[in-house]
Amino acid sequence: MTMTMTEQMLADEGCPAMTAKDYRSDVKPVWCPGCGDHGVLLALTKTLAELQLAPEKVSVVSGIGCSSRIPAYLNTYGFHGVHGRSLALATGLKVSRPDQTVLVAGGDGDGFSIGGNHFLHACRRNVDLTYIVMDNQLYGMTKGQASPTSAPDWEKGKLTPGGTGINPFHPLVVALASGANFIARVSGTNANGAVPILKEAIEHPGFSLVHVLSPCITYNREQLDWKKMVRPAPVEATNDPGRAARRLMTDDNLNLGVLYKGDRAPYQPDLRSRGVSVADLEAPFQV
Amino acid sequence: MLKQMEGSMAVAEAVALARPEVICAYPITPQTHIVEGLGEMVKSGQLENCEYINVESEFAALSVGIGSSAAGARTYTATASQGILFMAEAVYNASGMGLPIVMTVGNRAIGAPINIWNDQTDSMSMRDAGWIQLFCETNQEAVDVHIQAFKIAEKLSVPVMVCMDGFILTHAYERIDMPEQAQIDQFLPPFNPRQVLDPANPVSMGAMVGPEAFTEVRYLAHRRQMDALELIPQVAQEYAEIVGRDSGGLISTYKAEDAETLVISLGSVIGTIKDVIDQRREEGEKIGCVAIRSFRPFPIAEIRKACANAKRIVVLEKCFAVGMGGMVASNVRMALSTQPVPVYNVIAGLGGRPITQTSLHNLFNEAAADKLEGLHFLDLNQEVVERELERQRLDECSGSVAENILRDIGAVAASKV
């Protein structure tokens, strides 16, 4: 495939490298002060700069919610889609344009409740996507309702009188069971710590889930403590789903790092690499 | 009791007065405050014997509601915009199964482009789904109509959608005269479901129906809606007798008797229209209006009667059938097909664009002179439209209309990276 102008420039030794700033648009984030999503935006721009990806070779797809505003703040391609459908949309994008690095971003409400079914099947399908879920354990944009990851006794949720009373959703376990090829956790309060993990997630083939602890101190002030509570995972990543399952099932949601790195081949119908064009496919149907 | 309160909270209190047994809640702007208000009442114990369920999506909200209603529980939920589109399959299912669920729609535009502000395209997209649709002009009406909705729904075994303009009503603080619990208990008896779970006679609900009976089932759904044309005014009358206020009915009219120009609309914009009518009446113009309260069933006879002496009809609506025109106007035109009166169709207030008195005066000036086109877009920025059309003429790959226009009007940075 021919290189874009930016790619050619980047390939040129004399050209100055892309910096994190180059990936930021001039749109100011609407997020509250103290929101973990600021850290994710910073980490993401730094990661893209490390990868030296031309902005036009990166697509960021999101759904609805505070964190789903992120495409507007990036200078890459962006797609702000329908609530809960970002993974399905991104799948369509990636299979038709395998040359794009496709990042999917959103929150726990968007990804695990209204979009929960797509999450299962995106893991299962294992298309080469990196799914960055900014989990604040609540719905922030609609002003503080419980989400699937809320603690059962969180009483401040405005649609759950007395707390949800039900088990929180465990996205990492579900991702592993559904076939995700890479599972990691980072903290939105530590952008620099998130960069190498995001980089690894993007570079790893197949479906990568990056679970971000992204505090919402507007609607759950206790999340201020996350910054102090998180720690690097005590063990290295494993490629053994059995070991990973045990690790994730006993995980207390505070271990940061790459937790599972599988070796399943990604789903990728790359027609072009097989030398097949749309015209070739249509040929037998010509009348 | 008189209270100064937000529309959403008023509706929450009204729904609580109806003693719902199951409430399904999922947040979507601008209805969220309603279910939040109900959640607060459940938490404080003000609303008892009610199962309050926070669900994972709008599709789940109405599906859970279908289950609870089928099991004989008085069921309530609320939604808006994308939410009603997402639950569309369940919307048809609820009416097809004759389940008397009451659902508020906090009217909001549908994307793309994403827009959280008010218009009525969302509930209008479900106008033919077999639900009764009642539109509210004020928050007082919203309170009264919600309570009446439970009675109408349960008497006919048909679900009812109560539509109220997002933000303009849901978020507005107004004086509300809240009925007393004893009055509502007198007005609204406990739910006596048409179909019940009976261990002596187990049934499978949602049976497969083939060509041999499908038409009859559908026809009977229509018959029930026709029955609603009689029931809705009756229920309004019963409510008025107990609560002392007439807030229901199929339509309401304002200075319509001798009106030469008759404006037909629905929802909160009727308030602005009435103000403009008052001003024009002072100048001697014979102008009045009709507010449609019940859009489904559509009150054909009442519309005909109200329009009998008018010289022109202006249908102003906050919804738009792309490729056709107004949804309300086409219904009005059908109702008036035997009356030789011009019907002007005005699309206004889409995506929250304010409908100002000045714009309405200009519009009614043109209407009075019979200079309006059949389909008119209030305050359409023709310059922006022409610029985009020109761009499309010049460039086959001219890009997204929404983003292009945002750049044109300076809402986002002019430079493309």
Side-chain angles (χ1 to χ4, degrees), chain B residues 21 68-74 98-100 154 157 190-197 205:
Chain B
E21 292 158 300
S68 62
S69 184
R74 181 170 286 164
L99 299 171
E154 289 167 12
S157 227
F191 175 30
N192 183 23
R194 181 171 292 191
Q195 52 187 16
V196 289
L197 296 187
M205 297 182 188

Side-chain angles (χ1 to χ4, degrees), chain A residues 91-172:
Chain A
T91 299
L93 202 162
K94 181 68 183 176
V95 297
S96 62
R97 283 292 299 269
D99 58 309
Q100 285 276 310
T101 296
V102 182
L103 312 178
V104 190
D108 40 312
D110 188 73
F112 304 147
S113 58
I114 198 164
N117 53 346
H118 301 304
F119 177 54
L120 300 181
H121 296 285
C123 292
R124 199 183 129 237
R125 195 173 283 116
N126 202 27
V127 173
D128 189 14
L129 305 170
T130 301
Y131 186 29
I132 302 161
V133 184
M134 289 159 255
D135 187 352
N136 55 13
Q137 301 178 359
L138 53 81
Y139 283 78
M141 185 166 269
T142 49
K143 316 262 180 284
Q145 296 82 17
S147 84
T149 50
S150 299
D153 58 352
W154 183 56
E155 291 201 7
K156 287 184 184 152
K158 293 173 188 168
L159 295 182
T160 42
T164 66
I166 51 174
N167 254 359
F169 184 79
H170 200 321
L172 279 58

Side-chain angles (χ1 to χ4, degrees), chain A residues 26 64 75 80-83 85 109 113-114 139 141-147 155-162 164, chain B residues 25-29 32-33 35-40 42-43 52-58 82 86 114 413 415 417:
Chain A
D26 50 9
I64 297 292
N75 259 344
H80 194 191
V82 175
H83 196 14
R85 312 302 140 201
S113 58
I114 198 164
Y139 283 78
M141 185 166 269
T142 49
K143 316 262 180 284
Q145 296 82 17
S147 84
E155 291 201 7
K156 287 184 184 152
K158 293 173 188 168
L159 295 182
T160 42
T164 66
Chain B
Y26 186 78
I28 182 166
T29 306
T32 309
H33 289 185
V35 279
E36 282 182 355
L38 285 159
E40 278 298 314
V42 169
K43 196 174 182 177
Y52 183 95
I53 311 173
N54 179 212
V55 292
E56 65 272 24
S57 72
E58 290 90 357
Q82 312 297 128
F86 187 39
I114 183 171
S415 64
V417 178

Side-chain angles (χ1 to χ4, degrees), chain B residues 276-415:
Chain B
V276 172
I277 286 173
D278 286 345
Q279 291 158 23
R280 299 177 76 86
R281 280 272 172 182
E282 275 180 29
E283 306 292 317
E285 183 177 342
K286 289 185 174 176
I287 181 167
C289 76
V290 174
I292 298 175
R293 256 108 171 238
S294 167
F295 189 70
R296 284 291 179 273
F298 193 71
I300 291 176
E302 284 71 16
I303 297 280
R304 275 186 191 156
K305 197 171 150 221
C307 297
N309 300 317
K311 287 191 178 159
R312 63 189 70 82
I313 312 291
V314 179
V315 180
L316 185 125
E317 58 189 296
K318 291 186 188 178
C319 49
F320 177 39
V322 181
M324 206 283 284
M327 303 178 196
V328 184
S330 58
N331 283 251
V332 170
R333 284 198 178 108
M334 196 274 289
L336 300 180
S337 55
T338 54
Q339 283 166 240
V341 57
V343 177
Y344 302 114
N345 186 191
V346 183
I347 309 294
L350 295 186
R353 179 165 292 182
I355 300 174
T356 64
Q357 294 195 3
T358 309
S359 295
L360 288 179
H361 275 299
N362 292 338
L363 177 77
F364 297 155
N365 286 343
E366 286 188 47
D370 286 310
K371 281 183 182 165
L372 269 182
E373 309 137 76
L375 178 62
H376 179 83
F377 290 81
L378 192 71
D379 297 334
L380 182 75
N381 187 335
Q382 202 65 45
E383 196 189 315
V384 164
V385 170
E386 290 305 329
R387 207 182 311 172
E388 171 60 20
L389 289 174
E390 178 64 11
R391 188 162 32 226
Q392 291 175 15
R393 269 191 292 274
L394 295 173
D395 184 359
E396 204 173 316
C397 303
S398 59
S400 155
V401 172
E403 277 76 21
N404 286 344
I405 289 180
L406 287 179
R407 263 192 296 274
D408 279 351
I409 63 175
V412 297
S415 64

Side-chain angles (χ1 to χ4, degrees), chain B residues 81-143:
Chain B
S81 184
Q82 312 297 128
I84 197 169
L85 291 193
F86 187 39
M87 63 165 69
E89 192 176 357
V91 169
Y92 274 79
N93 209 248
S95 56
M97 294 177 79
L99 299 171
I101 299 162
V102 172
M103 177 165 76
T104 309
V105 180
N107 286 123
R108 166 185 150 182
I110 291 173
I114 183 171
N115 177 301
I116 63 164
W117 306 108
N118 166 244
D119 69 35
Q120 294 167 347
T121 311
D122 51 358
S123 50
M124 283 296 173
S125 74
M126 292 294 128
R127 67 193 181 278
D128 303 322
W131 288 53
I132 288 172
Q133 282 193 334
L134 306 173
F135 283 78
C136 306
E137 178 188 334
T138 63
N139 283 333
Q140 182 66 60
E141 257 189 42
V143 163

Side-chain angles (χ1 to χ4, degrees), chain A:
Chain A
M1 190 162 292
T2 54
M3 287 203 283
T4 65
M5 200 190 291
T6 321
E7 278 187 305
Q8 280 168 356
M9 281 164 63
L10 286 171
D12 179 355
E13 298 270 312
C15 172
M18 296 283 287
T19 66
K21 249 184 164 174
D22 295 325
Y23 294 95
R24 269 284 279 124
S25 74
D26 50 9
V27 181
K28 196 169 169 270
V30 293
W31 301 320
C32 307
C35 173
D37 296 354
H38 291 288
V40 177
L41 178 60
L42 179 61
L44 204 50
T45 55
K46 286 185 171 197
T47 305
L48 293 172
E50 285 215 2
L51 291 166
Q52 286 294 295
L53 288 166
E56 68 272 22
K57 301 300 277 188
V58 179
S59 297
V60 182
V61 180
S62 73
I64 297 292
C66 294
S67 53
S68 287
R69 306 286 286 244
I70 207 166
Y73 311 141
L74 293 163
N75 259 344
T76 63
Y77 282 122
F79 205 116
H80 194 191
V82 175
H83 196 14
R85 312 302 140 201
S86 55
L87 284 171
L89 200 153
T91 299
L93 202 162
K94 181 68 183 176
V95 297
S96 62
R97 283 292 299 269
D99 58 309
Q100 285 276 310
T101 296
V102 182
L103 312 178
V104 190
D108 40 312
D110 188 73
F112 304 147
S113 58
I114 198 164
N117 53 346
H118 301 304
F119 177 54
L120 300 181
H121 296 285
C123 292
R124 199 183 129 237
R125 195 173 283 116
N126 202 27
V127 173
D128 189 14
L129 305 170
T130 301
Y131 186 29
I132 302 161
V133 184
M134 289 159 255
D135 187 352
N136 55 13
Q137 301 178 359
L138 53 81
Y139 283 78
M141 185 166 269
T142 49
K143 316 262 180 284
Q145 296 82 17
S147 84
T149 50
S150 299
D153 58 352
W154 183 56
E155 291 201 7
K156 287 184 184 152
K158 293 173 188 168
L159 295 182
T160 42
T164 66
I166 51 174
N167 254 359
F169 184 79
H170 200 321
L172 279 58
V173 173
V174 174
L176 181 72
S178 308
N181 211 26
F182 181 99
I183 297 169
R185 187 184 289 116
V186 302
S187 170
T189 57
N190 181 359
N192 286 336
V195 171
I197 297 166
L198 281 169
K199 191 170 166 229
E200 204 173 333
I202 293 169
E203 287 179 325
H204 193 74
F207 185 87
S208 302
L209 171 68
V210 180
H211 182 229
V212 188
L213 289 171
S214 187
C216 173
I217 60 173
T218 302
Y219 294 109
N220 188 348
R221 208 146 173 87
E222 287 169 19
Q223 293 181 359
L224 264 176
D225 296 341
W226 283 1
K227 193 176 178 176
K228 288 176 280 179
M229 291 160 73
V230 292
R231 62 181 106 74
V235 282
E236 291 287 297
T238 174
N239 67 346
D240 175 357
R243 285 182 63 194
R246 184 162 188 82
R247 191 178 290 174
L248 294 177
M249 282 299 287
T250 53
D251 176 77
D252 65 357
N253 216 32
L254 297 165
N255 291 317
L256 306 183
V258 182
L259 304 170
Y260 172 70
K261 206 169 170 180
D263 35 32
R264 278 179 69 205
Y267 175 89
Q268 188 56 272
D270 190 349
L271 300 178
R272 278 157 283 210
S273 70
R274 283 184 245 146
V276 182
S277 71
V278 175
D280 296 333
L281 291 172
E282 281 177 352
F285 301 98
Q286 296 291 340
V287 277

